[in-house]
Structure formats: C-alpha cells, structure tokens
Amino acid sequence: MGEQPIYSTRAHVFQIDPNTKKNWVPTSKHAVTVSYFYDSTRNVYRIISLDGSKAIINSTITPNMTFTKTSQKFGQWADSRANTVYGLGFSSEHHLSKFAEKFQEFKEAARLAKEKSQEKMELTSTPSQESAGDIQSPLTPESINGTDDERTTPEVTQNSEPRAEPTQNALPFAHSSAISKHWEAELATLKGNNAKLTAALLESTANVKQWKQQLAAYQEEAERLHKRVTELECVSSQANAVHTHKTELNQTIQELEATLKKKEEEIEKLREEIDNARELQAQRDSLTQKLQEVEVRNKDLEGQLSDLEQRLEKSQSEQEAFRNNLKTLLEILDGKIFELTELRDNLAKLIECS
C-alpha cells in the first residue's frame, strides 16, 4: 500500500523565478532522480524529486496539466497548487520524449480516475425518495454500489403491521441509517489501510537495517581499496628509487668511460716511450695488463648496463601494468561510490515514502 515509484529518470531541476516569472532558477547543483509515483490509496499520480533529504519537486498530476517541450532537451509544466512552473533539463532528446510520454499517460489515467470518482460520488450522494408504498424499503448507498461487504449488512425489515401512511420521520431515519452504515464501512476500510501501512512501515524499517549493513560492507570495501592504493603508491615509489639508481649507474659509467679514455692516452704515451727505451718494457707490460683489466671491467660494465636496461624495460612494463591496475581500481571505486549514491537516494525515497 502507499505510493510506489513507477518510472524514474535523471535530470537537472529548475523552477521559475517567483519574482520575475521569466528566469529559471536551478534547484539542484547536479542531475537528480525524478520519479513518477502512484498513490493507490488516493488513486493519484505525483512527480517527486529529492536532492538529498530535500524535496525539490512534489507535484500532483491533474487532468488540466500540460507538459511542454521548449527545446530538444528541456521541458516544463505548470503546477497551480504549488503556484510555480517546473523545468527539467535532460541529457538527451530520448529521455525528454520518454518523460513526456509518461506524463501524458499518467495525465490520462488521472483524468479517468477523477471521472470514476465523480461517478461514484454521484451514485453515493443521497438516497432517492420513493412513493409512499415503497417507503418501507428505502434505497441506500450500499444497495446502489452493491459491493460484497455492503451486501452483508442487514436490510431494513418491514413492519408486520401495515400502515396507512408513513410518518414524517421515516425518511430522515432511513437516510441517517444509510449514512451511518456508509461511514462504518469507510471506518473499516481505513482500519484495514492503517494495518497494511503499519506492516509496510515495519517492512521498510527492516529493509533500512539491511541496507545499513550493506552500506557498512561497502565502506569496508572502500577502506580496503584505499589500503591497496596506498600499497600501489609504495610500489611506485620503489620504481622511482630504481630509476634513481639507474641514473647514478649511468653517471658512474660516464666517469669510467672518461677514466678509460685517460688510461688509453697514457698507454699511447707509454708505447711511444717503449720505442725509445727498452728499460720501460716492464712498465709497458704492466700497463698492458692494466689495459686488459680495464677492458674486462669495461665488458663487465657493458654487461651490467645491458642488464640494467633490461631491468629498466621490465620496470617500465611493471609500472604500466600498475597504472592500468590503478585505473581499474579507480573505476571500480567510482562504481561503488555511484552505487552508494544510488543507495542513498533510494534510502531517502524510502524515508520520504514512510
């Protein structure tokens, strides 16, 4: 029982400026959920939108309302009860057309409901006055409607002794009895509706508790994701340390290359001195041995450089994979935040409905 959402969409909500009656005033900073609601107890259709816990639209659809498309993505309607004009800005023309179709559909349903209500009121207005011969079984609203509950009410019995003429109080007494029965039936209906609403309220309370538990679980998941992001940031800092170490090694290699160049110059000078004197043969051999050692060291350094380049490529690939994982985690986090926002909107709707 109560109001149930039958169609929802998202749009930016505006209201006409009450002072100028020309300019639009935004009532929401971002797109919010706008829903059609059906109240089965009163048989009415309403347009409701919440921005947090604040109702920025609460408009009951009447048969004389008209929804007008003023552009490809904007539409408006006037609500005489709220003494304002509402405007909605949609993300696409398709959403605007869908909302306008639903408006026309529920407007027609509201018109039919109003006509049925008027017909029922005409049928249950006042019992018709019959002739003096038929006064002993007067018509009541219950006998006109002919519902099952009303047919179970006891009928007015005729007096065993016939009267020549009805008294002047017979018609008012029959009318009072009919009104009493009608209000007893209304009271029974209201009691039944109250019991159903109480049950719905209890069910909504249980659902709110369940959603609170789900919200706590989502918060724990968000904290876990934050910790994971922190760990990944630590891995990123380690990658930066590797890059710094590589830079230092490159500087060392440059220094070694400069040293090697100097040694080669020294070796060249020593070779020239060998041609001049055999006494320097031992020194030349020693320098040749040193040169060989430097070449071996140079090869080792080249091997280390190659290994570092491979490690750098691997580190770059790992860093790229880390970035992709981080983007994926951020997308998942955005989805979770959007679900939490939707959940919050639904909770606000439920609180408003209850």
Side-chain angles (χ1 to χ4, degrees):
M1 300 297 292
E3 287 186 308
Q4 298 293 333
I6 50 181
Y7 176 76
S8 297
T9 186
R10 293 186 68 82
H12 292 271
V13 180
F14 300 85
Q15 285 189 15
I16 200 70
D17 190 342
N19 297 323
T20 63
K21 298 295 184 180
K22 294 181 179 180
N23 300 325
W24 289 107
V25 178
T27 56
S28 62
K29 296 181 181 179
H30 50 79
V32 296
T33 302
V34 182
S35 303
Y36 286 100
F37 279 78
Y38 175 62
D39 189 346
S40 58
T41 58
R42 295 188 298 167
N43 199 18
V44 296
Y45 295 85
R46 292 202 298 166
I47 302 175
I48 296 176
S49 178
L50 299 176
D51 188 5
S53 59
K54 177 184 178 183
I56 56 179
I57 297 180
N58 187 0
S59 177
T60 301
I61 300 176
T62 59
N64 58 348
M65 282 185 177
T66 302
F67 185 82
T68 305
K69 298 179 183 178
T70 57
S71 67
Q72 293 183 349
K73 297 182 180 180
F74 193 87
Q76 65 183 48
W77 78 95
D79 189 340
S80 59
R81 296 183 179 181
N83 193 23
T84 187
V85 179
Y86 293 103
L88 296 179
F90 296 88
S91 60
S92 65
E93 184 177 1
H94 171 72
H95 290 87
L96 172 61
S97 300
K98 187 68 175 178
F99 187 88
E101 291 175 2
K102 292 294 183 182
F103 191 97
Q104 186 63 28
E105 176 184 345
F106 300 141
K107 171 186 172 182
E108 183 67 18
R111 184 185 65 80
L112 295 176
K114 184 177 180 181
E115 290 178 356
K116 290 181 180 179
S117 176
Q118 290 177 351
E119 291 176 358
K120 185 176 180 181
M121 290 178 63
E122 291 175 359
L123 291 175
T124 59
S125 58
T126 57
S128 60
Q129 297 181 356
E130 300 296 332
S131 62
D134 298 330
I135 199 63
Q136 295 176 354
S137 57
L139 291 175
T140 64
E142 288 78 10
S143 62
I144 292 175
N145 293 335
T147 59
D148 293 338
D149 294 337
E150 291 164 348
R151 282 197 293 266
T152 58
T153 58
E155 298 179 353
V156 178
T157 59
Q158 297 181 355
N159 294 330
S160 58
E161 296 180 359
R163 295 180 181 179
E165 293 180 357
T167 62
Q168 295 180 355
N169 295 328
L171 284 175
F173 177 76
H175 182 65
S176 175
S177 177
I179 293 176
S180 177
K181 292 177 182 178
H182 174 71
W183 286 114
E184 286 178 358
E186 289 291 335
L187 180 60
T189 303
L190 290 175
K191 287 182 178 179
N193 291 339
N194 187 27
K196 292 178 181 178
L197 288 173
T198 302
L201 179 60
L202 293 175
E203 183 179 356
S204 299
T205 304
N207 291 335
V208 168
K209 291 181 180 179
Q210 182 180 1
W211 288 330
K212 285 182 178 179
Q213 293 177 355
Q214 292 179 356
L215 179 61
Y218 289 147
Q219 290 176 346
E220 292 178 358
E221 180 68 15
E223 291 178 359
R224 189 184 67 80
L225 290 174
H226 282 303
K227 291 181 180 179
R228 179 58 179 166
V229 169
T230 304
E231 293 175 359
L232 293 175
E233 288 176 351
C234 293
V235 173
S236 177
S237 63
Q238 292 178 359
N240 293 330
V242 171
H243 180 70
T244 304
H245 184 60
K246 174 182 174 295
T247 303
E248 293 175 355
L249 289 176
N250 288 332
Q251 293 177 355
T252 304
I253 290 172
Q254 291 177 359
E255 292 174 358
L256 291 174
E257 287 177 349
T259 303
L260 178 61
K261 186 176 181 180
K262 291 179 181 180
K263 292 296 182 183
E264 288 176 350
E265 292 174 356
E266 290 176 1
I267 291 171
E268 185 66 27
K269 290 179 181 180
L270 289 172
R271 286 178 179 176
E272 292 176 357
E273 291 177 358
I274 289 173
D275 295 336
N276 297 328
R278 293 182 179 180
E279 291 83 8
L280 300 176
Q281 183 67 35
Q283 186 177 0
R284 186 185 66 83
D285 294 337
S286 175
L287 291 174
T288 302
Q289 184 177 0
K290 290 182 180 180
L291 178 61
Q292 292 177 354
E293 292 175 356
V294 170
E295 289 177 349
V296 171
R297 188 176 180 184
N298 186 23
K299 290 181 180 179
D300 293 336
L301 291 174
E302 289 177 353
Q304 292 179 4
L305 177 61
S306 177
D307 183 49
L308 287 174
E309 289 176 350
Q310 292 178 358
R311 290 172 61 185
L312 176 61
E313 292 177 357
K314 183 178 179 181
S315 175
Q316 290 176 347
S317 62
E318 290 177 353
Q319 188 174 8
E320 185 66 23
F322 158 73
R323 289 177 180 175
N324 294 331
N325 291 334
L326 183 60
K327 289 180 180 179
T328 303
L329 290 173
L330 291 175
E331 291 175 355
I332 294 173
L333 183 60
D334 289 340
K336 295 293 183 181
I337 293 173
F338 180 75
E339 291 176 1
L340 289 173
T341 304
E342 290 293 331
L343 180 60
R344 182 180 178 275
D345 291 341
N346 292 332
L347 286 172
K349 292 176 186 176
L350 287 174
I351 293 172
E352 179 70 17
C353 292
S354 60

